[in-house]
Amino acid sequence: MLQRKMVVLIGIMVLFSMILSACTTVAPAAPAAPAAEGGEASWWRTAAQSANCEGVTIRGVSESTPPSNFAKEVLGPAFEAETGIKVELETTSWDQMYSKAINDMQANTGIYDFVYIEQDIIYSYLANNYLTNMTKLIADNPNLASPDFDLSKFTSFIDNFKDANGDVFGIPMEAFIKVYLYRMDLFNDPAIQEAFKAQYGYDLAPATTHQQYQDIADFFTQYGADNGLELWGTTVQGNTGHSSSFYEFFETIAPSFGVYNWGINMDNWKATVENGGEMNSDKAKEALAFWVGLLADAPPEATASTWDEVAASFAAGRAAQGWVYGENAAWIATNPEKSKVVGNVGVALPPVSDGVMADAESGAGYIGYYDGGAFGLPVSSKNPLCTLLWMQYIGQESVQADWAVAGSRIVMESTYDDPKVQEVNAKTDNYYTLMREEGPLFRGAPPFPFHAAMVNTVQPFIWKALSGEITPEDALDQAAAAADAELVNLGYGQ
Amino acid sequence: MRSNRMGWGLLTPTLVILALVGFLPFIYVLYVGFFNWNAFSNQLGMQWAGVNNYRRLVFDGDFLDSLWRTGLFAFVSVGAELALGFLLAQTLVKSFPGRTIFRTIYVLPLVMAPIAVGATWRLLTIPGFGPIPYYLDKWFGIDFRLATYADQAFATVILMDIWHWTPFVTLTLLAGLTALPKEPLEQAQVDGANRWQVFRHLTIPMMMPVLLTVIFIRLMDALRIVDEVFMLTSGGPGTATQFIGIHIYRVVVPKTDFGYGSAMSLLVLYFTIVLCWLLFIALSQVGKQRE
Amino acid sequence: MKTSSFRKVLGWIGLYGLWIFMSLVTILPIYWMIVVSARSRVELFDRPTLLIKSFYAPNYIGPLTDPVFQRYLVNSIVIATSNALLVTILALLATYALSRWRLPGSENIFFWTITQRMAPPAAFVLPLFLIFTRIFKIGNWTMFDTHIGLILLYCVFNLPFAVWLMKGIMDGIPIELDEAAFVDGATRWTVLIRVVAPLVAPGLAITFILSWIFAWNEYLFAANLTSVEARTITTGLAEFVSVTGTNWGEMAAVATVAILPALIFLVFVQRYIVTGLTFGAVKE
């Protein structure tokens, strides 16, 4: 009897799944793009037709962040309506995105027509000749060169995606700086200001030196404890199992102490001080000790925090100050559904050691991280011309403003002046103004083709320092030695 | 005799599929293990390296640490699961009201996806809103932070594995216990042996085949564990819970060191087979002696 | 007399105490996950309580109405069911062959397939990726990101297990039944389908259900060998943590949905699952 029941149950399941699979394989017909009204077809439509792209589907992969989601949900359908080319943008986790893009380009399988290139991985991709030269592609196909697309309108961020000849290999789609956020409500509270001054002897203001940062962090942690609040003095992006901690240390903290390019000497490819590098220099050790020391002033989830958790902690009101990526600054400051600190977010330049600001201004160094990414066209793509149209579409001036509002990213000079952006600017304590004016003081990741391998080699030591297993000094000594060995392994330096 | 043709014919579809999606990748891994192949190295493409990868492995401190950690984890987890599982199985042998309900609830973790198990335990242990850190702090003053304290992370991973897999051990041992012939046990009790003696000299030897199978299966799976641990700790803090499965994943995917990773996998597979084989032999010897 | 019944009562209390404790410990993580799935983002960081005061539906509605997530769910169902079906049929054929014929070398083959299960899976990601994209291709179609790719791949894990399970059962069907049917003029196929299959049906059912559960739960290969079309829900779950790691509520909702089918299965056919999980182990 029960046997019968099970056979029936299984039979139903099989039938059900057969029906479902039939439904999924019959791909829903793409909505017929409305024919242009009036006799005149748009430039996009004509271009698509001339390249036989109508009805083609192009595929891309990117990280699941607000800017990419905007491209997927708004720009993609709009492009399809204009050209008849369907865009399938897969948004996934940061690790997955990389492994899929790299596997595809490496194996030349042509699965993706455009991939997200973060500013730090461009060098690896260029070294491996994964990407198509966009400048050349446009020059070779003048009939497909959109009049609304102009490479010179982009901010200097696009320089990151150029090769030695100045040819462009990626169309920027997002850029922001990792900035110093602080709680304006706490910093402007008279009682708190008085107490701070009484204890430390100077006025409470956003920190400009590391000592001030430490003082403020200590103060607010104590304040939170004394008043029974879930409040700590600082955020720390200290995840002891994820690359994010490596990045905060080497891209934000270390440079502010004067250690640039991860402490790797780019002339002889060495990291240890003995061989001419700076990874385990005194300045670097000071930086790591400072940063690991801040854990005492950070909320308990700090050692489990990547950039997302740091943003969430700050948005939940758990930190008085912190280093937060610009893409998060906007929603923390304006979205009441996700943030408890709307309207109280202040933005400032990160604190730096002596001499670092001068280095940054002269171009010898930098004070923090200028992050961002572009879409690139793999050489292995099977639809380069159709994808070229898409790249130009997203690079148009007209789409930038709405994109900026949705994803708090700016890659074009003119976007700064757009009224919609100005409005958001006001609500975020002039974050965009800061980015525009002081952006040049920040820099992206150093031009290392071995970026990923190096991160994976060095990060375990950072993790161990964060968990207290080894001291920061030992961590850097060991990390630098491991870095030297790995560099030789990869064929750089002797 | 009937020709073997039909026999092979019935077996063929199975063999074909296994050969294409099972054997082929295996051969490929074997092949790649002899090359230096890193997507981001200075020299592009695959370079012949002979047994260099294997030589590197022997001196690779991280790899050896990871092996040791995995072994320790497997040993402790499987041991605990065996003890607990046997105890619980004993209580389930005789029927009692409510037994089915208890057993059904108890088996729940077994059918959950490993990655969901990791996710569930992660939710329990996040500082800030998980109940475990909160109540441990409130009632015992213990600072429970998985991402900071390596031994806490290691212990939690073991606990999670026990939660997940003890039901399997229990059920299997239960099946074995129920299948035991009753006469020898009753005879022994009539002869005046106490419960402990019966257990030690009769039950365990008779259960040896089942015990071996359980240990074999659990050991195999514990050594390969990835999803749950990765979801719970990402292998951290630092490398405290970076077991060999995660270690290999890290070498092959983000580090794109394909050649080295392949060699590593084969070596680990070899160790696993050897370990299981040794265990098998050792325990069957013990079983034979007891008889 | 009195001490004996006192001991008995103590025994019962101990037994029930133990099992109530075990049940609570087992359920707690799952229950907590459901609690988290019922909380909104902002509420999450408040004091953790074990009570569900209000049910924050958007955590469920969001994913369930997202076409991408719906596709993941459908894919999981399709792949798991198809794979379970395929494995069950193949296992039936294979174990019948192994049981009724002496096929030289078959023992070795199956030992080798068990070792497949012993190998750390991560190393096979790249080879399978290359095989799926380069070797198994016809014109523009590759096996990457297709249902059939995963359905075939999961056979590598499920088939050996299924054969192991079914072999004992199959051996238990006396060969005299076959012979009797031959005498009556039946062909091999008729014997297999009309005589043997109905007798091993419970074993087939167990094989189907367990294969289904294993296929549904698989993560690593589903994540690395699919892209947009054939992604499964376990992959979707993992994606939640790396990226929108802050949205624990939604992640918990997705996780709850992910474990639901297996739980439902369990409740209805638990006796058979229990038997199946232990069958191969005991009938050695």
Side-chain angles (χ1 to χ4, degrees):
Chain A
M1 195 48 227
L2 197 55
Q3 206 169 301
R4 269 256 167 109
K5 251 202 259 174
M6 289 218 290
V7 171
V8 170
L9 176 68
I10 291 172
I12 294 177
M13 279 179 56
V14 172
L15 202 60
F16 186 53
S17 87
M18 274 173 28
I19 295 175
L20 276 179
S21 73
C23 292
T24 50
T25 48
V26 172
E37 292 98 21
E40 202 187 303
S42 74
W43 178 89
W44 295 102
R45 171 72 56 176
T46 339
Q49 284 168 344
S50 73
N52 289 322
C53 286
E54 269 189 312
V56 168
T57 301
I58 57 173
R59 275 186 148 179
V61 68
S62 179
E63 193 185 347
S64 175
T65 55
S68 291
N69 285 328
F70 182 83
K72 172 175 165 170
E73 288 155 15
V74 177
L75 296 176
F79 180 70
E80 188 179 348
E82 283 250 33
T83 60
I85 304 174
K86 187 167 191 307
V87 177
E88 252 186 31
L89 175 50
E90 181 191 336
T91 51
T92 178
S93 68
W94 177 74
D95 341 33
Q96 277 295 311
M97 164 202 58
Y98 271 134
S99 99
K100 292 178 133 191
I102 291 173
N103 279 342
D104 179 39
M105 297 190 287
Q106 162 95 353
N108 231 337
T109 36
I111 295 168
Y112 296 113
D113 298 298
F114 62 100
V115 297
Y116 174 79
I117 317 170
E118 188 149 359
Q119 174 277 328
D120 54 16
I121 205 75
I122 180 70
Y123 310 103
S124 311
Y125 288 5
L126 286 177
N128 279 301
N129 297 317
Y130 284 156
L131 302 170
T132 312
N133 185 330
M134 302 296 298
T135 312
K136 196 162 170 305
L137 190 64
I138 296 176
D140 289 343
N141 293 285
N143 59 322
L144 295 180
S146 161
D148 295 323
F149 182 74
D150 184 354
L151 283 173
S152 65
K153 289 202 168 137
F154 286 97
T155 59
S156 58
F157 182 65
I158 198 174
D159 293 343
N160 285 305
F161 300 98
K162 292 183 181 168
D163 71 355
N165 295 326
D167 285 348
V168 172
F169 284 77
I171 308 298
M173 47 80 68
E174 66 180 18
F176 29 74
I177 48 178
K178 185 157 176 178
V179 76
Y180 171 29
L181 290 190
Y182 65 95
R183 290 276 298 281
M184 288 201 298
D185 53 333
L186 294 173
F187 277 54
N188 292 334
D189 181 305
I192 294 180
Q193 285 177 338
E194 220 183 289
F196 185 83
K197 179 127 190 210
Q199 192 171 347
Y200 290 97
Y202 58 89
D203 288 325
L204 175 60
T208 52
T209 69
H210 295 113
Q211 184 56 55
Q212 288 173 357
Y213 193 91
Q214 182 75 60
D215 292 340
I216 296 174
D218 292 337
F219 177 80
F220 278 108
T221 309
Q222 189 62 50
Y223 180 81
D226 289 341
N227 292 298
L229 299 170
E230 295 274 301
L231 175 70
W232 284 263
T234 175
T235 63
V236 172
Q237 187 170 296
N239 191 316
T240 51
H242 187 273
S243 308
S244 48
S245 48
F246 172 95
Y247 285 127
E248 176 155 285
F249 178 66
F250 278 105
E251 288 173 347
T252 301
I253 308 294
S256 73
F257 276 82
V259 178
Y260 311 117
N261 298 328
W262 304 1
I264 296 181
N265 182 326
M266 304 218 288
D267 292 321
N268 64 354
W269 300 113
K270 293 290 176 202
T272 54
V273 166
E274 300 83 65
N275 291 326
E278 290 197 326
M279 199 186 272
N280 57 343
S281 62
D282 290 335
K283 276 194 272 187
K285 289 179 176 174
E286 195 192 332
L288 190 56
F290 166 75
W291 187 57
V292 171
L294 283 178
L295 281 177
D297 287 323
E301 65 268 18
T303 42
S305 292
T306 66
W307 39 78
D308 289 311
E309 285 80 12
V310 162
S313 293
F314 194 88
R318 292 163 74 81
Q321 48 178 5
W323 293 273
V324 180
Y325 287 96
E327 63 185 330
N328 290 318
W331 67 259
I332 296 178
T334 57
N335 187 339
E337 268 180 39
K338 297 183 183 177
S339 167
K340 283 184 174 168
V341 298
V342 172
N344 292 322
V345 178
V347 167
L349 289 178
V352 291
S353 296
D354 290 331
V356 172
M357 191 60 84
D359 276 345
E361 279 160 0
S362 72
Y366 48 100
I367 64 171
Y369 191 49
Y370 199 113
D371 192 10
F375 281 152
L377 218 171
V379 167
S380 50
S381 161
K382 302 205 165 91
N383 301 299
L385 297 179
C386 310
T387 312
L388 174 62
L389 290 175
W390 162 249
M391 304 282 244
Q392 294 180 87
Y393 189 81
I394 59 156
Q396 284 178 98
E397 202 167 5
S398 51
V399 306
Q400 299 296 324
D402 286 324
W403 205 351
V405 171
S408 64
R409 36 61 82 209
I410 293 190
V411 296
M412 211 168 262
E413 285 299 334
S414 54
T415 320
Y416 286 114
D417 297 316
D418 188 288
K420 289 183 225 169
V421 173
Q422 284 294 322
E423 207 186 308
V424 180
N425 193 26
K427 293 190 192 152
T428 56
D429 193 34
N430 298 319
Y431 163 73
Y432 290 119
T433 316
L434 187 78
M435 185 174 156
R436 184 182 208 172
E437 290 169 10
E438 317 284 5
L441 295 173
F442 294 76
R443 204 179 291 173
F448 295 153
F450 46 78
H451 174 102
M454 187 53 60
V455 171
N456 277 282
T457 305
V458 172
Q459 65 187 5
F461 302 102
I462 304 295
W463 294 343
K464 288 183 184 172
L466 283 167
S467 68
E469 198 179 317
I470 52 182
T471 66
E473 292 75 25
D474 286 340
L476 285 176
D477 285 332
Q478 292 172 19
D484 273 2
E486 182 72 7
L487 281 165
V488 171
N489 218 8
L490 290 169
Y492 293 88
Q494 296 313 314
Chain B
M1 280 306 283
R2 313 169 206 110
S3 83
N4 274 354
R5 207 159 17 121
M6 186 166 190
W8 281 114
L10 286 175
L11 201 51
T12 307
T14 305
L15 291 180
V16 166
I17 293 182
L18 288 182
L20 284 178
V21 258
F23 195 60
L24 208 53
F26 183 79
I27 295 295
Y28 194 73
V29 169
L30 188 62
Y31 173 68
V32 172
F34 292 118
F35 287 82
N36 253 345
W37 187 20
N38 189 323
F40 292 127
S41 80
N42 215 3
Q43 310 115 322
L44 299 174
M46 292 166 74
Q47 331 261 293
W48 176 257
V51 290
N52 200 27
N53 283 332
Y54 292 96
R55 205 183 304 150
R56 234 175 103 195
L57 277 173
V58 174
F59 296 109
D60 186 344
D62 292 331
F63 170 65
L64 296 173
D65 280 341
S66 184
L67 273 183
W68 161 250
R69 239 175 261 131
T70 317
L72 186 62
F73 162 77
F75 182 69
V76 174
S77 296
V78 176
E81 283 160 27
L82 211 53
L84 187 60
F86 213 144
L87 171 69
L88 291 173
Q90 298 266 28
T91 67
L92 285 179
V93 176
K94 286 201 209 95
S95 177
F96 59 89
R99 181 176 74 153
T100 319
I101 300 179
F102 284 132
R103 204 182 55 183
T104 313
I105 295 179
Y106 181 55
V107 174
L108 283 180
L110 278 184
V111 297
M112 284 173 69
I115 199 134
V117 170
T120 319
W121 277 79
R122 179 125 177 223
L123 288 175
L124 275 179
T125 54
I126 300 177
F129 72 81
I132 291 186
Y134 182 71
Y135 286 111
L136 276 180
D137 184 45
K138 199 164 171 216
W139 294 340
F140 302 105
I142 301 177
D143 181 22
F144 184 78
R145 265 191 270 166
L146 278 191
T148 309
Y149 301 114
D151 30 2
Q152 279 179 359
F154 200 79
T156 311
V157 164
I158 291 178
L159 275 175
M160 178 174 68
D161 195 68
I162 293 177
W163 180 83
H164 191 186
W165 291 107
T166 311
F168 172 73
V169 176
T170 310
L171 291 179
T172 315
L173 293 180
L174 176 63
L177 283 174
T178 358
L180 287 181
K182 305 250 187 315
E183 301 85 54
L185 297 170
E186 283 166 8
Q187 188 63 42
Q189 283 193 310
V190 165
D191 287 346
N194 66 29
R195 283 170 64 168
W196 174 246
Q197 285 171 322
V198 169
F199 186 72
R200 207 171 140 226
H201 295 285
L202 276 183
T203 317
I204 293 195
M206 286 200 283
M207 285 284 286
M208 203 46 91
V210 184
L211 278 173
L212 279 181
T213 315
V214 164
I215 294 178
F216 178 73
I217 297 177
R218 275 308 308 140
L219 196 61
M220 208 166 71
D221 283 345
L223 290 173
R224 288 184 336 145
I225 200 169
V226 176
D227 302 358
E228 297 138 274
V229 178
F230 195 71
M231 196 73 164
L232 181 65
T233 63
S234 309
T239 47
T241 55
Q242 188 162 294
F243 300 138
I244 196 68
I246 299 178
H247 184 78
I248 291 180
Y249 178 79
R250 280 227 158 103
V251 169
V252 173
V253 181
K255 247 180 145 185
T256 61
D257 202 346
F258 302 131
Y260 194 51
S262 300
M264 201 183 281
S265 310
L266 283 180
L267 199 62
V268 171
L269 174 61
Y270 177 69
F271 281 155
T272 312
I273 295 179
V274 167
L275 189 66
C276 290
W277 204 245
L278 286 177
L279 186 73
F280 196 79
I281 295 178
L283 286 174
S284 22
Q285 292 291 33
V286 170
K288 287 207 182 90
Q289 278 175 4
R290 280 262 156 85
E291 270 167 38
Chain C
M1 213 35 220
K2 251 199 176 162
T3 39
S4 153
S5 60
F6 177 70
R7 266 181 134 199
K8 252 198 167 175
V9 168
L10 212 59
W12 282 117
I13 294 179
L15 183 68
Y16 276 98
L18 173 68
W19 278 105
I20 293 178
F21 175 72
M22 287 307 302
S23 302
L24 285 178
V25 167
T26 306
I27 293 230
L28 179 68
I30 302 175
Y31 175 70
W32 175 248
M33 189 171 74
I34 299 179
V35 168
V36 172
S37 74
R39 295 226 171 113
S40 72
R41 215 165 176 152
V42 185
E43 279 173 355
L44 277 178
F45 275 96
D46 295 335
R47 300 272 131 90
T49 54
L50 289 175
L51 304 165
I52 302 183
K53 292 203 185 105
S54 57
F55 197 85
Y56 187 69
N59 279 336
Y60 280 93
I61 298 183
L64 285 176
T65 53
D66 178 4
V68 174
F69 183 79
Q70 285 170 344
R71 199 196 296 159
Y72 288 0
L73 200 53
V74 167
N75 287 340
S76 277
I77 295 177
V78 168
I79 292 174
T81 312
S82 312
N83 177 255
L85 201 60
L86 183 64
V87 166
T88 309
I89 295 176
L90 287 183
L92 176 65
L93 299 179
T95 46
Y96 186 70
L98 288 174
S99 166
R100 300 301 193 239
W101 280 272
R102 200 140 302 209
L103 300 169
S106 56
E107 289 294 314
N108 290 335
I109 295 178
F110 283 103
F111 173 74
W112 170 80
T113 56
I114 301 274
T115 62
Q116 285 288 56
R117 254 195 109 226
M118 287 196 222
F124 292 95
V125 168
L126 181 68
L128 281 168
F129 178 83
L130 290 174
I131 290 174
F132 273 24
T133 49
R134 286 201 161 147
I135 300 184
F136 293 153
K137 68 185 259 185
I138 306 171
N140 255 344
W141 177 92
T142 65
M143 207 179 246
F144 177 80
D145 200 23
T146 56
H147 297 101
I148 192 88
L150 286 183
I151 292 172
L152 289 180
L153 177 61
Y154 290 160
C155 288
V156 175
F157 309 113
N158 280 337
L159 264 177
F161 179 75
V163 166
W164 198 23
L165 254 180
M166 292 291 304
K167 181 107 181 337
I169 302 175
M170 189 62 81
D171 285 342
I173 309 285
I175 208 161
E176 289 75 34
L177 285 175
D178 291 35
E179 317 242 304
F182 284 140
V183 165
D184 288 346
T187 64
R188 270 277 168 212
W189 279 112
T190 323
V191 171
L192 181 60
I193 297 175
R194 291 256 169 113
V195 179
V196 177
L199 289 173
V200 297
L204 290 177
I206 300 169
T207 306
F208 181 88
I209 291 173
L210 288 176
S211 303
W212 197 96
I213 292 178
F214 291 147
W216 176 273
N217 287 346
E218 206 279 326
Y219 163 70
L220 190 69
F221 292 110
N224 286 290
L225 296 175
T226 63
S227 167
V228 183
E229 297 293 323
R231 276 234 132 159
T232 60
I233 196 174
T234 45
T235 318
L237 182 61
E239 284 178 5
F240 263 102
V241 179
S242 312
V243 179
T244 45
T246 49
N247 200 349
W248 298 110
E250 247 181 42
M251 187 202 96
V254 172
T256 310
V257 172
I259 66 174
L260 221 46
L263 291 189
I264 294 177
F265 257 136
L266 180 67
V267 171
F268 283 112
V269 292
Q270 55 99 6
R271 189 148 57 103
Y272 293 88
I273 294 184
V274 166
T275 322
L277 282 175
T278 61
F279 216 91
V282 180
K283 302 282 182 180
E284 267 287 283

